[in-house]
Amino acid sequence: MLTHEAPATSDTGPERRRGGRARRAAGNIAATGAGLFLRRIPAYKLLGEEALAQLEEQADWILAEIGIDFRGDAEALRLFAAAGCEVKGERVRFQPGQARALCATAPAEFTLHARDPRHSVVLGGDHLVLMPGYGSPFVTDLDRGRRYATIEDFRNFVKLAWMSPWLHHSGGTVCEPTDIPVNKRHFDMVHAHLTLSAKPFMGAVTSVSRAEDSIEMARIAYGADTVAEHAVMQGNINVNSPLVFDETMTGALRSYAAAGQCVCVSPAIFGGAMGPVTPAAVAAQTHAEAMAGIALAQLVRPGCPVVYGSFHNTMSLKSGALTFGTPEGNLVTMALGQLARRLGVPVRSGGGQITAANSPDGQAMQDSASAMWATVMSGANQVWHAAGWLEGGLTMGYEKFVMDLDHCGAMLTLASGMEVSADTLTRESYHEAGPGQNFLSTSHTMRHFATANHMPDIAEAGPYESWVEAGCRTAEERANDRWKAMLAAYEAPPMDPAIAEALDDYVARRKTALPDEWY
Amino acid sequence: MLTHEAPATSDTGPERRRGGRARRAAGNIAATGAGLFLRRIPAYKLLGEEALAQLEEQADWILAEIGIDFRGDAEALRLFAAAGCEVKGERVRFQPGQARALCATAPAEFTLHARDPRHSVVLGGDHLVLMPGYGSPFVTDLDRGRRYATIEDFRNFVKLAWMSPWLHHSGGTVCEPTDIPVNKRHFDMVHAHLTLSAKPFMGAVTSVSRAEDSIEMARIAYGADTVAEHAVMQGNINVNSPLVFDETMTGALRSYAAAGQCVCVSPAIFGGAMGPVTPAAVAAQTHAEAMAGIALAQLVRPGCPVVYGSFHNTMSLKSGALTFGTPEGNLVTMALGQLARRLGVPVRSGGGQITAANSPDGQAMQDSASAMWATVMSGANQVWHAAGWLEGGLTMGYEKFVMDLDHCGAMLTLASGMEVSADTLTRESYHEAGPGQNFLSTSHTMRHFATANHMPDIAEAGPYESWVEAGCRTAEERANDRWKAMLAAYEAPPMDPAIAEALDDYVARRKTALPDEWY
């Protein structure tokens, strides 16, 4: 079972790092890090062979008969034409099986190297990598309410992710630092990931030059040789669904792929808007779009590490609003796990702990927990939005973040499976405590008691009477204590001062060279 | 997909029953009833053959080497001795395989007949039957707070369960009517199930005479011949775990079994107290206890319909408090689904929507949704505590009840699976809306829009700005509207006045014959 006794940080050896006085004051502040996590329960098989083959055939049909637009990127079109695809204008069509064949050079499994090697993760196989939410312009907490996110918020979420043993990855745009010019945000975001955390991270994708800056900063932090030889970062390439890749995204894709860094291709389909309304159609279209993007990455650099991503959601049939954590979305998540495994590439779930709710109330956590179950059962290798998401991604919530962390810990414990062995079955206990007797004082219970069960980090509500006495504090209020205690106990992972200085210099120099752009 | 357009009530034919003016005023008040529900997604296979065989071997070892105490019930001991079990004092031991062999006459699948046949359900196979929480002495709602439950509360929850299309069963002691003497509560409870609902229900088990009263009242409502020939009700036989059945429970078991009514055997194991602390041991011990109880029911009446129950939970290692919806508990739920299917009897999940929380906050719904996922994935046939549970079962919450109902609907939708067909894949839509175009106005979307997605019944939070304008109402507050609207729209299912009178007479006569007992 994965417990808080996870791989430690770089400055304390094999001992769990505790954060000194602040940690003791804060109570159960978790150590940083988690490193590798292997799922030890089977991935769920929602669909049988026939249905999976039908979905694959539909994806092939879409790619052959309808095709994909690669807009404004002559180089991408040239690569597809050279590979034998039919290119007419900006429309690329693939013969049945051709996209799958082009994806064949993508590795089934690869290591994403962290700055601290003990936090390196593997993507693919039975590995599971959890990371925070991505892309929210707003943040919220109980003290200050909802507001535009700033770089301070960004840094706070990087710190919280670094400290959590249940997140294996620092994420990317964990929130938008709106107090920084749009064209300079990536410097501060990548700087925060590289200096405040030592877990793997994602770089910028909003223009080719920002992608190149991100990769250059990784070269400074990891060493250029390391980045040349290993995947150390990911770029998220959103598909402009339905069936369109725009030049910003394919430009960034080509930058990451050329540098041998990981390309994550994320179709984004809201059923009924960017594709048909049925889960089966959304799954098949996602498969078509993901294969097209992965194929491009392989044409740029065969063997380039990729992740088969997805972001698919549903609509309220009452209001037209986007909905998250719904059963239809969860079915798609589970089907995509199967399709990606059959393609032989690591898969990022379109689930995570997602909700349309504005606060982490019962509805929010019902949605989030439900989507997370679908995600883990699907055999996903990487989970974005595992912590913090509110309002369909518009807002990162501080309280939601730590509430989600508790459920991440629970799901990782579940994914560690049930050990059936002579020790866990403990026949000797039944000689110590027979029918009608209490097992609390058996030697087996005594031996296992401290580590037997996963313990959430947010304080328990406790029995009704003491809960009332303490003011009927909801989980959200108790979560408020928790994230503050975590931030108070934060300590940065160590970094060579020369590297830190070189990063600072790079950022300062590049920022000076650019005018401020706010839009 | 199961939708609100479920089987209708007895007085409106195939049309959905809408509750007239009250319903229209209340908005989307659901019709009653659901009737049969078939799971169309595979049950999850957590464990492989080797681990399952080890758990079964451990159960056999417990039954052979340790044995089970049947306390104070000479008839039970006589039946086991006559069947060749080793009986020493009150301890019964089974040779390896013997308990399983005694269970072999139990039906793998049977119908539990409802007073309105359209609400009859099947237990076993791929059928799934959801029902409310059971046994809470307290109730709570946002208006009146937490308080001892009364018969009015009991009736309210029977009404709510009758009205929900997501519950297939009226439950048993949905809350304790504490304003009625202990020895007379069963009259009012069974009366409420029989008159305010027409779904299947559970009778009293707290003494032989109360069990007999429950069965007698069913004979009045269904007709004595019907009850003689069919299972129309269930009795829940709690095991006094570890490894003890007491005479109250085996007495009630024998009453239900003798009458050919369904016996549900529910081991109740809190890991570390009523058994070892490990999930594997809890699963194996549950299996041993369940087999022993089912064996007794089969000895009383071979072929007696049974349900393999369980109630297993975990402890906080910080406070010693009971915890619910935990990953360890969820693993046990999933393993027991497999063990019961191998035994060939219907299985009741120990999950449901359970939590230790005192209010339906984010934590409560995280626990509840998580336990419900484990339950549905486990292939459970019957789910107790699918709605309302708080405080580890001490309290039934009105708001929690309807919040859970929304998730029941979501999980039933999930369990209906993904339809992969030419219609759902809708190739023609891609000719209507190509790359970069919106699918909202395609004929396929138009055709499917109204029914494509499961819609929760509690009002949506809506976009942030309008949510703030409306006072930042949490899901709990919106749920408060929902249960009130449901109760306002309630209409009782019809009953022959002569039967209603006979039931009233029976209750009045029997109550008069008994002194009030309050403890």
Side-chain angles (χ1 to χ4, degrees), chain A residues 1 28 41-47 51 54-55 57-58 61-62 66-67 69 71 91 146 242-244 272-281 283-285 314-319 321 327-328 330-332 334-335 358-363 365-366 369-370 373-374 377 391 403-404 406-407 410-411 413-414 417-421 424-427 429-431 434-440 444-445 448-457 460-465 467 474-475 478, chain B residues 1 28 41-47 51 54-55 57-58 61-62 66-67 69 71 91 146 242-244 272-281 283-285 314-319 321 327-328 330-332 334-335 358-363 365-366 369-370 373-374 377 391 403-404 406-407 410-411 413-414 417-421 424-427 429-431 434-440 444-445 448-457 460-465 467 474-475 478:
Chain A
M1 197 175 79
N28 180 37
I41 64 175
Y44 182 61
K45 292 179 179 143
L46 174 74
L47 299 175
Q54 264 182 288
L55 293 176
E57 194 193 328
Q58 171 83 353
W61 177 86
I62 290 172
I66 308 296
D69 279 0
R71 294 189 178 164
R91 180 75 52 93
R146 179 174 177 272
L243 309 175
V244 175
M274 291 87 148
V277 75
T278 46
Q285 185 182 323
T314 42
M315 271 186 302
S316 164
L317 307 178
K318 294 179 191 168
S319 67
E328 297 81 11
N330 292 335
L331 288 167
V332 174
M334 297 197 287
N358 302 308
S359 71
D361 63 7
Q363 168 86 61
M365 304 320 272
Q366 210 173 44
S370 207
W373 261 86
M377 298 305 279
E391 273 189 75
M403 292 168 76
D404 283 340
D406 270 355
H407 196 242
M411 293 307 292
T413 304
L414 183 98
M418 178 188 286
E419 184 192 332
V420 182
S421 66
T424 60
L425 292 174
T426 181
R427 291 188 178 178
S429 292
Y430 290 93
H431 292 300
Q437 294 180 311
N438 198 310
F439 281 70
L440 261 179
H444 184 266
T445 302
H448 287 274
F449 193 77
T451 55
N453 295 336
H454 166 66
M455 284 290 96
D457 287 313
E460 293 169 26
Y464 180 76
E465 292 73 14
W467 178 71
T474 62
R478 288 175 276 123
Chain B
M1 196 173 78
N28 180 35
I41 63 175
Y44 182 61
K45 291 178 180 146
L46 175 73
L47 299 175
Q54 263 182 289
L55 293 175
E57 193 193 329
Q58 170 83 353
W61 177 86
I62 291 171
I66 307 297
D69 279 0
R71 295 188 178 163
R91 180 75 51 93
R146 179 175 177 270
L243 309 174
V244 175
M274 291 85 148
V277 75
T278 45
Q285 184 181 323
T314 43
M315 272 186 301
S316 164
L317 307 178
K318 294 179 189 169
S319 66
E328 297 82 10
N330 292 335
L331 287 167
V332 174
M334 296 197 288
N358 301 308
S359 72
D361 63 8
Q363 168 86 63
M365 304 320 272
Q366 212 173 43
S370 207
W373 262 86
M377 297 304 280
E391 273 188 75
M403 291 168 77
D404 284 340
D406 270 355
H407 197 242
M411 293 306 292
T413 304
L414 183 97
M418 179 189 285
E419 185 193 330
V420 181
S421 66
T424 61
L425 292 175
T426 180
R427 291 188 177 177
S429 293
Y430 291 93
H431 292 299
Q437 294 181 310
N438 199 308
F439 282 70
L440 261 177
H444 184 265
T445 302
H448 287 273
F449 193 79
T451 55
N453 296 335
H454 167 66
M455 284 290 97
D457 287 313
E460 293 168 29
Y464 180 77
E465 292 72 14
W467 179 70
T474 61
R478 286 175 277 125

Side-chain angles (χ1 to χ4, degrees), chain A residues 238-270:
Chain A
N238 278 321
V239 184
N240 199 350
S241 305
L243 309 175
V244 175
F245 286 74
D246 66 36
E247 61 181 312
T248 303
M249 286 291 127
T250 54
L253 180 153
R254 290 193 287 103
S255 293
Y256 281 96
Q261 301 305 306
C262 173
V263 168
C264 183
V265 179
S266 298
I269 303 174
F270 301 128

Side-chain angles (χ1 to χ4, degrees), chain B residues 13-67:
Chain B
E15 279 271 301
R16 174 177 166 192
R17 188 188 186 207
R18 290 171 183 275
R21 189 175 305 167
R23 184 191 175 277
R24 284 190 298 275
N28 180 35
I29 291 295
T32 63
L36 296 184
F37 180 85
L38 262 180
R39 179 172 43 76
R40 271 170 275 173
I41 63 175
Y44 182 61
K45 291 178 180 146
L46 175 73
L47 299 175
E49 172 62 31
E50 192 186 346
L52 290 167
Q54 263 182 289
L55 293 175
E56 287 168 338
E57 193 193 329
Q58 170 83 353
D60 267 353
W61 177 86
I62 291 171
L63 291 170
E65 295 295 321
I66 307 297

Side-chain angles (χ1 to χ4, degrees), chain B residues 237-408:
Chain B
I237 307 307
N238 278 321
V239 184
N240 199 349
S241 306
L243 309 174
V244 175
F245 285 75
D246 68 35
E247 63 180 308
T248 303
M249 286 291 127
T250 54
L253 180 153
R254 290 192 290 102
S255 292
Y256 281 96
Q261 300 305 306
C262 173
V263 168
C264 184
V265 179
S266 298
I269 304 175
F270 301 128
M274 291 85 148
V277 75
T278 45
V282 171
Q285 184 181 323
T286 297
H287 196 56
E289 294 178 356
M291 285 199 294
I294 291 170
L296 178 57
Q298 296 307 309
L299 290 175
V300 172
R301 176 161 167 162
C304 164
V306 299
V307 168
Y308 176 119
S310 71
F311 188 61
H312 53 83
N313 289 93
T314 43
M315 272 186 301
S316 164
L317 307 178
K318 294 179 189 169
S319 66
L322 297 182
T323 50
F324 298 84
T326 60
E328 297 82 10
N330 292 335
L331 287 167
V332 174
T333 294
M334 296 197 288
L336 291 177
Q338 295 184 277
L339 289 172
R341 271 190 296 283
R342 285 159 70 97
L343 188 62
V345 293
V347 57
R348 165 221 159 181
S349 158
Q353 309 219 54
I354 54 179
T355 180
N358 301 308
S359 72
D361 63 8
Q363 168 86 63
M365 304 320 272
Q366 212 173 43
D367 294 343
S368 297
S370 207
M372 192 62 172
W373 262 86
T375 292
V376 172
M377 297 304 280
S378 79
N381 300 114
Q382 187 168 23
V383 183
W384 304 15
H385 317 311
W389 246 50
L390 287 168
E391 273 188 75
L394 278 180
T395 296
M396 276 289 274
Y398 280 85
E399 287 82 18
K400 175 72 156 51
F401 195 93
V402 293
M403 291 168 77
D404 284 340
L405 287 185
D406 270 355
H407 197 242
C408 286

